[in-house]
Amino acid sequence: MTGLVARIEAATPPGRDRAVDALRALAILGVVGGHWLVTALVADSGTVRGASPLSSMPQFTPVSWVFQTLAVFFLVGGMVAARSWDAARKRGVPYGQWVGGRLARLFRPVAAVLVVWALAAAVMLVAGVGEATVRALVKLVWSPLWFLLVFAVLTALTPLVARLHPLWPLVVVLHVDLVRLGLDGPRELGWVNVVAGWLVPYCLGALVARGGLRGRTSRWALLLGGATVAVTLVLWAGYPASMVGVPGGRMSNLDPPSLAAVAFGLAQCGAALLLLGPLRRVLRRPAAWAVVAVVNLSAMTVFLWHQTAMIVVTMSALLFADGPLPGLHTVPDDAGWVLARLLWLPLFALALLGCWAVFRSYEQGGRRGGGSLVVRESAPERKGWARRA
């Protein structure tokens, strides 16, 4: 282990902003932890269906505030893409080559999970597994992929949006919610927020990359202002308190992104920017940096296969156990389920480690000296960015 830490430290360029990689790793792990905690597969009358503990235990809603970290991922994505595009232009790299390379690194590992689960679904149907069960399992794996499509769109639009102030897409989100919720407008209008909502933290990241929001005062204002608006909307404007979708809920803050979710995301981004300094100090330690580096090198693999890992554990236990196991197959409707689920998390992590061992080559294949979600700027550019951020 000491040798691995030393190799990672030696291979890291001196100017790399390790804190940005840490934010990305925290965002990915937040999504994984959130899915494992608020998603249940209930065995019921020979079928398996999805359920959420938030439906019957709203007191655990704060879990969604901690683990809904997509805004931080888009913040970092905006930072990295804006710097990458600026560096590419200076080197004379054409847009097609730049965006093609970035999207190829993004979607190469996606192909593996799509093929594996298409085959798995076919095998299950042939073997006589109920269509409802197959649909529930496939939906659990494929539904989180929506955010990669949005991320790909924003990446492709980087030359157009890199200098767009985040207030503009925020105004779009505000007006869309006013029309669809306040004036009872068409629900379909909400899908404008799928792009506009995530464009807010993406543009915020681009703003940081070009030197904006450097002071702690502005970052604190972002944190406190976003949190205040989100709380106000929940308490007095009728928005749900949960920052993830809850089955059977009146509306979702995430599907499509609502003004409350965007405001909450801005608060998260403010907190993330405030953490950059402390994270840089912590990550001077080679052991701490090695953990972050390993997660970043496999970030897409972790994201794409974490639901599969949970399904493997859940379905394997269902096949070999005498009956439904608490926290794994039972209805998530009491604190006992939560405690039991926490005990299953290490086994989920072990299964994810197995998926990582099998499929990480799809993320690392074709790579030239780096990871698909890792910052690629040259050392001078990284140093300049570190100073500005």
Side-chain angles (χ1 to χ4, degrees):
M1 183 63 70
T2 303
L4 175 62
V5 170
R7 289 197 300 273
I8 291 174
E9 182 69 19
T12 303
R16 188 182 193 86
D17 193 347
R18 303 179 180 192
V20 175
D21 290 329
L23 290 182
R24 182 190 296 109
L26 288 172
I28 289 293
L29 294 178
V31 172
V32 171
H35 282 161
W36 284 354
L37 287 172
V38 303
T39 304
L41 286 171
V42 179
D44 185 13
S45 302
T47 64
V48 172
R49 59 181 176 85
S52 171
L54 298 180
S55 297
S56 44
M57 293 182 288
Q59 65 270 28
F60 287 105
T61 293
V63 171
S64 71
W65 306 343
V66 176
F67 290 101
Q68 207 291 79
T69 51
L70 285 177
V72 177
F73 185 89
F74 280 95
L75 172 77
V76 173
M79 289 183 190
V80 174
R83 291 300 304 162
S84 175
W85 171 240
D86 185 58
R89 282 194 308 144
K90 291 176 180 177
R91 296 196 309 269
V93 176
Y95 168 76
Q97 180 181 337
W98 175 81
V99 75
R102 296 190 74 82
L103 295 184
R105 290 194 298 271
L106 182 66
F107 283 114
R108 185 185 300 115
V110 174
V113 75
L114 291 176
V115 170
V116 167
W117 269 97
L119 293 174
V123 169
M124 284 188 287
L125 290 172
V126 170
V129 178
E131 184 179 338
T133 296
V134 175
R135 188 185 305 113
L137 297 181
V138 171
K139 181 181 179 181
L140 201 63
V141 174
W142 285 359
S143 58
L145 301 184
W146 67 264
F147 107 88
L148 293 180
L149 296 176
V150 178
F151 190 80
V153 169
L154 298 187
T155 298
L157 293 176
T158 296
L160 297 177
V161 303
R163 294 193 173 275
L164 182 67
H165 197 281
L167 279 176
W168 290 108
L170 181 60
V171 168
V172 172
V173 173
L174 169 63
H175 283 83
V176 166
D177 271 20
L178 280 174
V179 173
R180 73 183 180 104
L181 301 177
L183 302 177
D184 199 24
R187 295 181 59 186
E188 293 76 13
L189 186 63
W191 295 108
V192 173
N193 284 356
V194 173
V195 173
W198 298 117
L199 190 56
V200 174
Y202 194 86
C203 288
L204 188 67
L207 176 63
V208 173
R210 61 179 185 266
L213 295 175
R214 284 180 290 181
R216 291 180 62 83
T217 300
S218 59
R219 296 176 181 188
W220 271 110
L222 190 63
L223 167 58
L224 297 177
T228 300
V229 172
V231 169
T232 300
L233 291 171
V234 169
L235 292 180
W236 290 289
Y239 285 84
S242 174
M243 290 300 149
V244 298
V246 179
R250 179 178 52 84
M251 67 170 285
S252 169
N253 274 321
L254 202 58
D255 186 20
S258 70
L259 182 61
V262 173
F264 179 79
L266 287 174
Q268 283 185 317
C269 290
L273 293 174
L274 286 167
L275 281 174
L276 284 174
L279 283 173
R280 289 182 185 121
R281 292 190 289 273
V282 170
L283 293 174
R284 290 171 187 162
R285 303 170 186 170
W289 166 239
V291 173
V292 171
V294 168
V295 172
N296 269 277
L297 287 172
S298 304
M300 279 293 292
T301 302
V302 169
F303 174 78
L304 290 171
W305 293 97
H306 73 279
Q307 295 286 61
T308 299
M310 183 184 73
I311 290 171
V312 167
V313 173
T314 303
M315 301 306 289
S316 298
L318 189 61
L319 289 174
F320 296 107
D322 291 334
L325 298 175
L328 205 58
H329 311 120
T330 54
V331 177
D333 58 1
D334 57 28
W337 184 92
V338 176
L339 293 175
R341 173 50 63 105
L342 292 175
L343 296 177
W344 286 107
L345 295 186
L347 201 55
F348 292 171
L350 186 62
L352 180 56
L353 183 63
C355 292
W356 171 82
V358 174
F359 295 105
R360 65 189 173 95
S361 61
Y362 291 95
E363 181 172 358
Q364 298 173 359
R367 183 189 299 163
R368 296 178 181 178
S372 61
L373 292 177
V374 178
V375 183
R376 291 280 159 252
E377 291 85 6
S378 64
E381 290 160 352
R382 282 192 296 267
K383 292 177 182 176
W385 181 32
R387 286 194 297 269
R388 287 190 293 272

